[in-house]
C-alpha cells in the first residue's frame, strides 16, 4: 500500500515537472527564432501600416458595396495585417528576452 502512494507521488511530481518544462519552452520559444533586427523591422512596420490602411478601406467599401468587394478579400487583408502586427510584437518580445539576458537571468 505504501509503495503505491510513493509511486503516485513520484508520477505526480514528474508530470508537474514536465508541464513546467513545456510551459517554459513555449514561453521562451521566440528567443530561439532568428532575431528581427532594425532594417527588417522598419520594412515590416511600413508594410503593416499599408496593410492597415488597405484593410480599413476594404472594410468600408465592403460595408458600402458588398456585391463588389467580397468578404474573402477583406478577411485576407485582415489576416495579412494581423500577421504583420504579430511579427512586430514578436520582435518586441525578443528584445525583452534579450534585455533579461543582459541583466543576468538565465533563459
Amino acid at each position: 500500500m505504501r509503495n503505491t502512494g510513493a509511486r503516485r507521488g513520484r508520477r505526480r511530481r514528474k508530470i508537474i515537472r514536465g508541464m513546467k518544462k513545456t510551459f517554459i519552452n513555449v514561453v521562451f520559444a521566440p528567443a530561439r527564432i532568428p532575431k528581427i533586427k532594425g532594417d527588417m523591422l522598419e520594412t515590416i512596420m511600413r508594410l503593416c501600416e499599408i496593410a492597415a490602411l488597405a484593410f480599413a478601406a476594404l472594410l468600408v467599401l465592403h460595408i458600402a458595396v458588398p456585391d463588389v468587394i467580397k468578404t474573402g478579400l477583406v478577411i485576407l487583408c485582415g489576416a495579412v495585417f494581423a500577421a504583420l502586427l504579430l511579427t512586430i510584437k514578436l520582435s518586441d518580445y525578443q528584445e525583452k528576452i534579450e534585455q533579461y539576458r543582459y541583466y543576468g537571468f538565465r533563459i
Side-chain angles (χ1 to χ4, degrees), residues 14 33 67:
K14 186 177 178 182
I33 297 173
D67 296 334

Side-chain angles (χ1 to χ4, degrees), residues 31 35 37 92-105 107:
K35 302 286 185 267
K37 302 263 175 157
D92 290 343
Y93 187 64
Q94 286 176 337
E95 288 179 17
K96 189 176 186 179
I97 290 174
E98 197 64 33
Q99 286 177 355
Y100 284 146
R101 284 185 180 158
Y102 287 143
Y103 290 121
F105 290 104
I107 297 174

Side-chain angles (χ1 to χ4, degrees), residues 3 16-17 21 27-28 45 57 65-66 70 74 82 88 91 105:
N3 277 340
I16 290 173
R17 207 172 327 137
K21 187 175 181 180
V27 168
F28 290 122
M45 288 178 86
V65 190
K70 300 295 181 192
V74 176
I88 293 170
S91 170
F105 290 104

Side-chain angles (χ1 to χ4, degrees), residues 3-58:
N3 277 340
T4 307
R7 274 186 274 152
R8 283 184 189 161
R10 282 192 301 267
R11 189 177 333 132
R12 183 172 162 220
R13 284 190 300 273
K14 186 177 178 182
I15 289 171
I16 290 173
R17 207 172 327 137
M19 288 174 52
K20 285 181 183 178
K21 187 175 181 180
T22 302
F23 176 75
I24 294 210
N25 283 336
V26 168
V27 168
F28 290 122
R32 291 184 286 279
I33 297 173
K35 302 286 185 267
I36 301 171
K37 302 263 175 157
D39 298 346
M40 190 178 196
L41 185 62
E42 288 178 16
T43 305
I44 291 171
M45 288 178 86
R46 276 193 218 112
L47 289 174
C48 187
E49 290 172 359
I50 292 168
L53 292 173
F55 177 61
L58 283 174

